[in-house]
Amino acid sequence: MNADDLFTAPQVAKICSTDLKTIHNWVNRGEIKSFRTPGRHLRFRRQDILDFLNRFGYPIPSDFAPTKKRVVLYETKESSLRSIKRLLARDYDVEAFGDHVDALLSIGQQMPNLVLVSGDNNNGADAIHIVERLASKSDSSPVAVYSADASQEKAARGAGATEFIPSADGKEIRRRISTVLD
């Protein structure tokens, strides 16, 4: 999570064109999601503020526009990792990992909008493990598995993959995930 995606109560009051007491009232009534820091200060996530603004019909300030959607990419082949990340980075905030444990830790810290996993070569078992772990959680991100080997589709979908992309071509992957995310 970027520091730019967290806001204080006074910042939220300014965004909503209201006073600080109103923000605290909304928090106490559960109308806007927030959390407290270890020092007990209120913090708000950008997406929670956007959800609140949309739900209650508030205008969204132009300088508060949503950030790019977040994609976590898991690929063990370094060259593929770099090329797919580069292709996706035009439209998405991409975090790329060559290790499945690091990918799962990142996903646990902040849920991405999509998890993209390679099912090719030695990734196969790890890919299925990631898909199974995420599918077992009710609030998990959608997971797309890509592989040049179409026989991987049955295992990927059986593990709970939302999407299977029968290609390792970066442009095709980008096209297909845009349909999932947009």
Side-chain angles (χ1 to χ4, degrees):
M1 176 181 308
N2 291 329
D4 295 340
D5 289 336
L6 291 179
F7 297 85
T8 64
Q11 290 172 316
V12 175
K14 185 175 179 183
I15 291 165
C16 295
S17 300
T18 191
D19 61 54
L20 188 57
K21 182 66 178 161
T22 300
I23 299 301
H24 284 274
N25 287 338
W26 288 341
V27 168
N28 292 338
R29 290 194 309 251
E31 292 177 4
I32 186 167
K33 288 183 184 178
S34 65
F35 67 94
R36 292 198 180 265
T37 66
R40 304 285 303 143
H41 299 279
L42 276 175
R43 292 294 181 267
F44 301 82
R45 289 182 178 86
R46 178 182 300 274
Q47 190 57 54
D48 293 334
I49 298 167
L50 286 168
D51 292 346
F52 173 83
L53 294 171
N54 287 325
R55 189 172 59 243
F56 289 100
Y58 280 87
I60 298 173
S62 59
D63 60 339
F64 190 71
T67 58
K68 289 181 176 180
K69 292 185 178 178
R70 183 170 172 261
V71 174
V72 169
L73 167 63
Y74 169 60
E75 167 66 74
T76 57
K77 288 192 277 182
E78 187 65 31
S79 60
S80 296
L81 181 88
R82 282 193 314 269
S83 70
I84 292 172
K85 180 179 180 178
R86 191 173 35 254
L87 274 169
L88 297 178
R90 294 181 210 161
D91 302 314
Y92 308 104
D93 178 20
V94 181
E95 281 188 275
F97 298 94
D99 179 80
H100 72 282
V101 174
D102 290 339
L104 286 168
L105 287 170
S106 175
I107 293 164
Q109 290 172 350
Q110 181 190 2
M111 279 295 186
N113 298 93
L114 177 76
V115 177
L116 180 62
V117 179
S118 169
D120 285 335
N121 300 329
N122 61 343
N123 265 19
D126 291 341
I128 297 306
H129 177 71
I130 289 173
V131 174
E132 288 172 342
R133 291 295 305 247
L134 294 174
S136 70
K137 301 185 119 342
S138 61
D139 62 345
S140 69
S141 303
V143 181
V145 175
Y146 65 93
S147 176
D149 180 1
S151 68
Q152 293 285 336
E153 181 171 10
K154 184 176 180 181
R157 292 213 185 264
T162 308
E163 182 76 24
F164 181 81
I165 304 166
S167 174
D169 175 59
K171 290 180 183 178
E172 177 63 12
I173 292 168
R174 184 169 146 226
R175 187 186 72 72
R176 292 283 296 270
I177 69 165
S178 70
T179 61
V180 173
L181 290 173
D182 299 332

